[in-house]
Amino acid sequence: MIDPLDDAALDRVFRTARTYNGYTDEPVTEAELRQIYDLMKWGPTSANQSPLRIVWCTSDEAKQKLAAACSAQNAPKVLKAPVTAILGMDMEFYEKLPRLFPHADARAWFVGNDGLIKESAFRNSTLQGAYLIIAARLLGLDTGAMSGFDAAKVDESFFAGTTVKTNFIATLGHGDPASIFDRLPRLDFEEATSVA
Amino acid sequence: MIDPLDDAALDRVFRTARTYNGYTDEPVTEAELRQIYDLMKWGPTSANQSPLRIVWCTSDEAKQKLAAACSAQNAPKVLKAPVTAILGMDMEFYEKLPRLFPHADARAWFVGNDGLIKESAFRNSTLQGAYLIIAARLLGLDTGAMSGFDAAKVDESFFAGTTVKTNFIATLGHGDPASIFDRLPRLDFEEATSVA
């Protein structure tokens, strides 16, 4: 027997939630960004790796710098959105594991193992990116995740001299219903899954 | 101004939710797996790629086959959990884009571009894996995601002759509070993020 949350919650998180291309003029405050982070941070990552590093682009200067690295289709979305989050991954996330996962020498699993580092940083920062989308929705905000940009250019503009690499970006705000199209279809249960 | 869902929802999805190492004897029905899928499928992926393919291991035979490919620490979790989901990614996801993303020739963006295919399949199937975790929680179920297994062996056992590769796995059930430890710390807002 399961005990689902009510329809309002299921609708807001998944069933009626949409990816927005544009937002109303209502701002997103730093207090709200903190609320998003204080929810999403609890989402699980492998061995609590928590590799995600976020730059919240809120100033015109940051938005212009980011838009300059985006595809022609995505640049105007970044310029107009109240906030765009750059979702980066710290390729030296394992240096924090003695604190984040103290009951084993988890740092030693990664040092010198480039393949495992890359795969782990990518998978776990992506999970955390999904948690950001969900946390925003739980709070009543909307998002527009995008991967159409020049990652090397974003790295250079925002993460030069650090161990962080860009994974994807997501606009944030109060979604403008006029900015979206009809919902696209999804694969059905039988097509995407099987019971073994 | 934001309008957050109530504390019960925020708690269940993030604040008090935990990753479980063990579950009660209560089964997870196929109807419940369908409910999970019918929520998670709405989560956004780039150009609606929807690359995730799931095998729900519910039979003893499937659990044993999967456990044989898991680390010594994870094998007993798989054997005892009511269900373990294998989260795979279809490396030919783009063949479905004419239906899933009909307003552009999105298939052409990928055909022959192995780097983009791999990155897109990995990122977007991982997002969908996070949506599975969240959907289960919304419905009142618990999960235990794991990456400690031999992916080549899981591919061979479950995806031989297909274009699907394993990304990660997740147990599902009604979490047993005795199976978890104290919660691990998270990075704070200033450490993991910056406002630009």
Side-chain angles (χ1 to χ4, degrees), chain B residues 154-196:
Chain B
V154 178
D155 288 350
E156 197 189 305
S157 296
F158 291 92
F159 299 123
T162 76
T163 53
V164 180
K165 300 282 176 203
T166 306
N167 184 343
F168 67 96
I169 64 176
T171 53
L172 280 162
H174 294 265
D176 175 3
S179 75
I180 54 174
F181 305 98
D182 284 347
R183 196 158 205 181
L184 292 167
R186 297 297 195 271
L187 302 177
D188 63 24
F189 184 84
E190 280 74 15
E191 197 170 11
T193 89
S194 61
V195 179

Short mmCIF file of all heavy atoms in Angstrom, two decimals, chain B residues 154-196:
data_model
loop_
_atom_site.label_atom_id
_atom_site.label_comp_id
_atom_site.label_asym_id
_atom_site.label_seq_id
_atom_site.Cartn_x
_atom_site.Cartn_y
_atom_site.Cartn_z
N VAL B 154 26.23 -6.40 -16.33
CA VAL B 154 24.78 -6.11 -16.33
C VAL B 154 24.28 -5.97 -17.77
O VAL B 154 23.23 -6.49 -18.13
CB VAL B 154 24.44 -4.86 -15.49
CG1 VAL B 154 22.94 -4.56 -15.55
CG2 VAL B 154 24.90 -5.03 -14.05
N ASP B 155 25.07 -5.28 -18.60
CA ASP B 155 24.70 -5.15 -20.02
C ASP B 155 24.53 -6.53 -20.65
O ASP B 155 23.57 -6.78 -21.37
CB ASP B 155 25.79 -4.40 -20.80
CG ASP B 155 25.83 -2.91 -20.47
OD1 ASP B 155 24.90 -2.43 -19.80
OD2 ASP B 155 26.80 -2.25 -20.87
N GLU B 156 25.49 -7.40 -20.37
CA GLU B 156 25.47 -8.74 -20.96
C GLU B 156 24.26 -9.54 -20.47
O GLU B 156 23.62 -10.27 -21.24
CB GLU B 156 26.77 -9.45 -20.56
CG GLU B 156 27.13 -10.65 -21.37
CD GLU B 156 28.32 -11.37 -20.73
OE1 GLU B 156 29.37 -10.72 -20.51
OE2 GLU B 156 28.18 -12.57 -20.42
N SER B 157 23.94 -9.40 -19.18
CA SER B 157 22.84 -10.19 -18.61
C SER B 157 21.47 -9.67 -19.01
O SER B 157 20.51 -10.44 -19.09
CB SER B 157 22.93 -10.20 -17.09
OG SER B 157 24.11 -10.84 -16.66
N PHE B 158 21.34 -8.36 -19.20
CA PHE B 158 20.00 -7.79 -19.40
C PHE B 158 19.79 -7.09 -20.74
O PHE B 158 18.66 -6.92 -21.16
CB PHE B 158 19.68 -6.81 -18.26
CG PHE B 158 19.48 -7.48 -16.94
CD1 PHE B 158 20.53 -7.65 -16.05
CD2 PHE B 158 18.23 -8.00 -16.59
CE1 PHE B 158 20.35 -8.29 -14.83
CE2 PHE B 158 18.03 -8.64 -15.38
CZ PHE B 158 19.10 -8.79 -14.49
N PHE B 159 20.87 -6.66 -21.38
CA PHE B 159 20.70 -5.86 -22.60
C PHE B 159 21.44 -6.43 -23.80
O PHE B 159 21.66 -5.72 -24.79
CB PHE B 159 21.15 -4.41 -22.33
CG PHE B 159 20.38 -3.69 -21.26
CD1 PHE B 159 21.03 -3.15 -20.15
CD2 PHE B 159 18.99 -3.57 -21.34
CE1 PHE B 159 20.33 -2.48 -19.15
CE2 PHE B 159 18.27 -2.90 -20.34
CZ PHE B 159 18.94 -2.36 -19.25
N ALA B 160 21.81 -7.72 -23.75
CA ALA B 160 22.53 -8.32 -24.88
C ALA B 160 21.70 -8.21 -26.15
O ALA B 160 20.47 -8.41 -26.13
CB ALA B 160 22.84 -9.79 -24.58
N GLY B 161 22.35 -7.85 -27.26
CA GLY B 161 21.64 -7.77 -28.53
C GLY B 161 20.79 -6.52 -28.68
O GLY B 161 20.03 -6.40 -29.64
N THR B 162 20.89 -5.59 -27.71
CA THR B 162 20.14 -4.34 -27.82
C THR B 162 21.13 -3.17 -27.88
O THR B 162 22.34 -3.37 -27.77
CB THR B 162 19.21 -4.10 -26.61
OG1 THR B 162 20.00 -3.67 -25.48
CG2 THR B 162 18.46 -5.37 -26.23
N THR B 163 20.62 -1.95 -28.02
CA THR B 163 21.46 -0.75 -28.04
C THR B 163 21.46 -0.06 -26.68
O THR B 163 21.86 1.10 -26.57
CB THR B 163 20.97 0.22 -29.12
OG1 THR B 163 19.57 0.47 -28.92
CG2 THR B 163 21.17 -0.38 -30.51
N VAL B 164 21.03 -0.79 -25.63
CA VAL B 164 20.93 -0.19 -24.30
C VAL B 164 22.16 -0.52 -23.47
O VAL B 164 22.66 -1.65 -23.50
CB VAL B 164 19.65 -0.70 -23.58
CG1 VAL B 164 19.53 -0.09 -22.18
CG2 VAL B 164 18.41 -0.38 -24.41
N LYS B 165 22.66 0.49 -22.75
CA LYS B 165 23.80 0.31 -21.83
C LYS B 165 23.34 0.73 -20.44
O LYS B 165 22.59 1.69 -20.28
CB LYS B 165 24.97 1.20 -22.24
CG LYS B 165 25.51 0.94 -23.63
CD LYS B 165 26.38 -0.29 -23.64
CE LYS B 165 26.85 -0.63 -25.04
NZ LYS B 165 27.21 -2.07 -25.15
N THR B 166 23.85 0.04 -19.42
CA THR B 166 23.46 0.34 -18.05
C THR B 166 24.09 1.65 -17.57
O THR B 166 25.27 1.88 -17.78
CB THR B 166 23.91 -0.81 -17.12
OG1 THR B 166 23.38 -2.03 -17.65
CG2 THR B 166 23.39 -0.61 -15.71
N ASN B 167 23.28 2.47 -16.89
CA ASN B 167 23.79 3.70 -16.28
C ASN B 167 23.94 3.48 -14.77
O ASN B 167 25.05 3.38 -14.27
CB ASN B 167 22.84 4.86 -16.61
CG ASN B 167 23.32 6.20 -16.10
OD1 ASN B 167 24.18 6.28 -15.23
ND2 ASN B 167 22.79 7.27 -16.62
N PHE B 168 22.85 3.35 -14.04
CA PHE B 168 22.96 2.96 -12.62
C PHE B 168 21.75 2.13 -12.23
O PHE B 168 20.90 1.84 -13.09
CB PHE B 168 23.20 4.17 -11.71
CG PHE B 168 22.07 5.18 -11.58
CD1 PHE B 168 21.17 5.11 -10.51
CD2 PHE B 168 21.92 6.21 -12.50
CE1 PHE B 168 20.16 6.05 -10.39
CE2 PHE B 168 20.90 7.16 -12.38
CZ PHE B 168 20.02 7.08 -11.31
N ILE B 169 21.71 1.67 -10.99
CA ILE B 169 20.59 0.84 -10.53
C ILE B 169 20.01 1.46 -9.25
O ILE B 169 20.67 2.26 -8.58
CB ILE B 169 21.02 -0.63 -10.27
CG1 ILE B 169 22.04 -0.72 -9.13
CG2 ILE B 169 21.59 -1.24 -11.55
CD1 ILE B 169 22.43 -2.17 -8.76
N ALA B 170 18.78 1.10 -8.94
CA ALA B 170 18.15 1.63 -7.72
C ALA B 170 17.17 0.63 -7.16
O ALA B 170 16.26 0.17 -7.87
CB ALA B 170 17.43 2.94 -8.01
N THR B 171 17.37 0.29 -5.87
CA THR B 171 16.38 -0.54 -5.19
C THR B 171 15.14 0.29 -4.89
O THR B 171 15.19 1.52 -4.82
CB THR B 171 16.95 -1.10 -3.87
OG1 THR B 171 17.46 0.00 -3.09
CG2 THR B 171 18.07 -2.10 -4.12
N LEU B 172 14.01 -0.41 -4.72
CA LEU B 172 12.72 0.25 -4.46
C LEU B 172 11.96 -0.55 -3.41
O LEU B 172 11.93 -1.77 -3.46
CB LEU B 172 11.87 0.24 -5.72
CG LEU B 172 12.12 1.26 -6.81
CD1 LEU B 172 11.48 0.78 -8.11
CD2 LEU B 172 11.55 2.61 -6.41
N GLY B 173 11.28 0.16 -2.51
CA GLY B 173 10.45 -0.53 -1.54
C GLY B 173 9.98 0.43 -0.46
O GLY B 173 10.05 1.65 -0.64
N HIS B 174 9.49 -0.15 0.62
CA HIS B 174 9.13 0.65 1.78
C HIS B 174 10.32 0.60 2.72
O HIS B 174 10.62 -0.44 3.32
CB HIS B 174 7.87 0.08 2.44
CG HIS B 174 6.65 0.18 1.57
ND1 HIS B 174 5.75 1.22 1.67
CD2 HIS B 174 6.20 -0.60 0.55
CE1 HIS B 174 4.80 1.07 0.76
NE2 HIS B 174 5.05 -0.04 0.08
N GLY B 175 11.03 1.73 2.85
CA GLY B 175 12.29 1.76 3.57
C GLY B 175 12.19 1.29 5.02
O GLY B 175 11.25 1.64 5.73
N ASP B 176 13.19 0.51 5.43
CA ASP B 176 13.28 0.07 6.82
C ASP B 176 14.20 1.05 7.55
O ASP B 176 15.40 1.11 7.28
CB ASP B 176 13.89 -1.34 6.84
CG ASP B 176 14.13 -1.82 8.27
OD1 ASP B 176 13.78 -1.08 9.23
OD2 ASP B 176 14.67 -2.93 8.42
N PRO B 177 13.63 1.82 8.51
CA PRO B 177 14.44 2.83 9.20
C PRO B 177 15.67 2.23 9.87
O PRO B 177 16.68 2.93 10.06
CB PRO B 177 13.48 3.41 10.24
CG PRO B 177 12.11 3.07 9.76
CD PRO B 177 12.24 1.80 8.98
N ALA B 178 15.63 0.94 10.22
CA ALA B 178 16.79 0.31 10.86
C ALA B 178 17.95 0.14 9.89
O ALA B 178 19.08 -0.15 10.31
CB ALA B 178 16.39 -1.05 11.44
N SER B 179 17.71 0.33 8.59
CA SER B 179 18.77 0.07 7.60
C SER B 179 19.60 1.31 7.27
O SER B 179 20.49 1.25 6.44
CB SER B 179 18.15 -0.47 6.30
OG SER B 179 17.50 0.57 5.57
N ILE B 180 19.28 2.44 7.92
CA ILE B 180 20.03 3.66 7.58
C ILE B 180 20.84 4.17 8.77
O ILE B 180 20.58 3.83 9.92
CB ILE B 180 19.11 4.78 7.05
CG1 ILE B 180 17.98 5.06 8.04
CG2 ILE B 180 18.56 4.43 5.69
CD1 ILE B 180 17.12 6.24 7.65
N PHE B 181 21.83 4.98 8.46
CA PHE B 181 22.71 5.56 9.47
C PHE B 181 22.37 7.04 9.63
O PHE B 181 21.47 7.54 8.97
CB PHE B 181 24.17 5.38 9.03
CG PHE B 181 24.50 3.94 8.75
CD1 PHE B 181 24.50 3.46 7.45
CD2 PHE B 181 24.78 3.06 9.79
CE1 PHE B 181 24.78 2.12 7.18
CE2 PHE B 181 25.06 1.73 9.52
CZ PHE B 181 25.06 1.25 8.22
N ASP B 182 23.11 7.74 10.48
CA ASP B 182 22.90 9.17 10.62
C ASP B 182 23.12 9.86 9.28
O ASP B 182 23.96 9.44 8.48
CB ASP B 182 23.87 9.76 11.65
CG ASP B 182 23.45 9.41 13.06
OD1 ASP B 182 22.30 8.94 13.25
OD2 ASP B 182 24.26 9.59 13.99
N ARG B 183 22.40 10.94 9.09
CA ARG B 183 22.50 11.64 7.83
C ARG B 183 23.86 12.31 7.68
O ARG B 183 24.38 12.91 8.62
CB ARG B 183 21.41 12.71 7.77
CG ARG B 183 21.22 13.19 6.38
CD ARG B 183 19.87 13.80 6.19
NE ARG B 183 19.51 13.68 4.78
CZ ARG B 183 18.39 14.12 4.25
NH1 ARG B 183 17.50 14.69 5.02
NH2 ARG B 183 18.16 13.98 2.98
N LEU B 184 24.41 12.23 6.47
CA LEU B 184 25.70 12.86 6.20
C LEU B 184 25.53 14.35 5.93
O LEU B 184 24.47 14.79 5.50
CB LEU B 184 26.36 12.16 5.01
CG LEU B 184 26.79 10.71 5.30
CD1 LEU B 184 27.15 9.98 4.01
CD2 LEU B 184 27.98 10.69 6.26
N PRO B 185 26.58 15.13 6.17
CA PRO B 185 26.47 16.59 5.96
C PRO B 185 26.39 16.93 4.47
O PRO B 185 26.72 16.12 3.61
CB PRO B 185 27.78 17.11 6.55
CG PRO B 185 28.74 15.98 6.46
CD PRO B 185 27.92 14.72 6.63
N ARG B 186 25.96 18.15 4.19
CA ARG B 186 25.96 18.67 2.82
C ARG B 186 26.79 19.95 2.79
O ARG B 186 27.00 20.59 3.81
CB ARG B 186 24.54 18.97 2.35
CG ARG B 186 23.63 17.74 2.27
CD ARG B 186 24.12 16.73 1.24
NE ARG B 186 23.11 15.72 0.90
CZ ARG B 186 22.92 14.56 1.52
NH1 ARG B 186 23.69 14.21 2.56
NH2 ARG B 186 21.97 13.72 1.12
N LEU B 187 27.24 20.31 1.59
CA LEU B 187 27.93 21.59 1.41
C LEU B 187 26.92 22.72 1.62
O LEU B 187 25.76 22.58 1.26
CB LEU B 187 28.52 21.68 0.01
CG LEU B 187 29.52 20.57 -0.36
CD1 LEU B 187 29.98 20.73 -1.81
CD2 LEU B 187 30.72 20.58 0.58
N ASP B 188 27.37 23.85 2.19
CA ASP B 188 26.40 24.94 2.36
C ASP B 188 26.37 25.82 1.11
O ASP B 188 27.15 25.63 0.16
CB ASP B 188 26.66 25.73 3.66
CG ASP B 188 27.99 26.41 3.68
OD1 ASP B 188 28.54 26.68 2.60
OD2 ASP B 188 28.51 26.67 4.78
N PHE B 189 25.42 26.72 1.09
CA PHE B 189 25.14 27.56 -0.08
C PHE B 189 26.39 28.27 -0.58
O PHE B 189 26.68 28.27 -1.78
CB PHE B 189 24.05 28.58 0.30
CG PHE B 189 23.59 29.47 -0.82
CD1 PHE B 189 22.60 29.04 -1.72
CD2 PHE B 189 24.09 30.75 -0.98
CE1 PHE B 189 22.15 29.87 -2.75
CE2 PHE B 189 23.64 31.59 -2.02
CZ PHE B 189 22.67 31.13 -2.90
N GLU B 190 27.15 28.86 0.32
CA GLU B 190 28.33 29.63 -0.06
C GLU B 190 29.44 28.73 -0.62
O GLU B 190 30.25 29.16 -1.43
CB GLU B 190 28.91 30.40 1.13
CG GLU B 190 28.16 31.70 1.44
CD GLU B 190 26.81 31.45 2.10
OE1 GLU B 190 26.56 30.32 2.59
OE2 GLU B 190 25.98 32.36 2.10
N GLU B 191 29.50 27.51 -0.13
CA GLU B 191 30.57 26.62 -0.55
C GLU B 191 30.28 26.03 -1.94
O GLU B 191 31.21 25.82 -2.74
CB GLU B 191 30.69 25.50 0.49
CG GLU B 191 32.00 24.75 0.42
CD GLU B 191 32.17 23.83 1.61
OE1 GLU B 191 31.19 23.64 2.37
OE2 GLU B 191 33.28 23.31 1.78
N ALA B 192 29.04 25.73 -2.20
CA ALA B 192 28.70 25.05 -3.45
C ALA B 192 28.23 26.01 -4.54
O ALA B 192 28.17 25.62 -5.71
CB ALA B 192 27.61 24.00 -3.20
N THR B 193 27.88 27.23 -4.18
CA THR B 193 27.30 28.14 -5.17
C THR B 193 27.85 29.54 -5.02
O THR B 193 28.40 29.90 -3.97
CB THR B 193 25.75 28.19 -5.07
OG1 THR B 193 25.35 29.22 -4.15
CG2 THR B 193 25.16 26.87 -4.64
N SER B 194 27.70 30.34 -6.08
CA SER B 194 28.02 31.77 -5.99
C SER B 194 27.03 32.54 -6.84
O SER B 194 26.50 32.02 -7.83
CB SER B 194 29.46 32.04 -6.43
OG SER B 194 29.62 31.64 -7.78
N VAL B 195 26.77 33.77 -6.44
CA VAL B 195 25.83 34.63 -7.17
C VAL B 195 26.64 35.61 -8.02
O VAL B 195 27.54 36.28 -7.51
CB VAL B 195 24.93 35.40 -6.18
CG1 VAL B 195 23.97 36.31 -6.95
CG2 VAL B 195 24.16 34.44 -5.29
N ALA B 196 26.37 35.60 -9.32
CA ALA B 196 27.14 36.47 -10.23
C ALA B 196 26.21 37.48 -10.90
O ALA B 196 25.01 37.26 -10.99
CB ALA B 196 27.85 35.64 -11.30
#
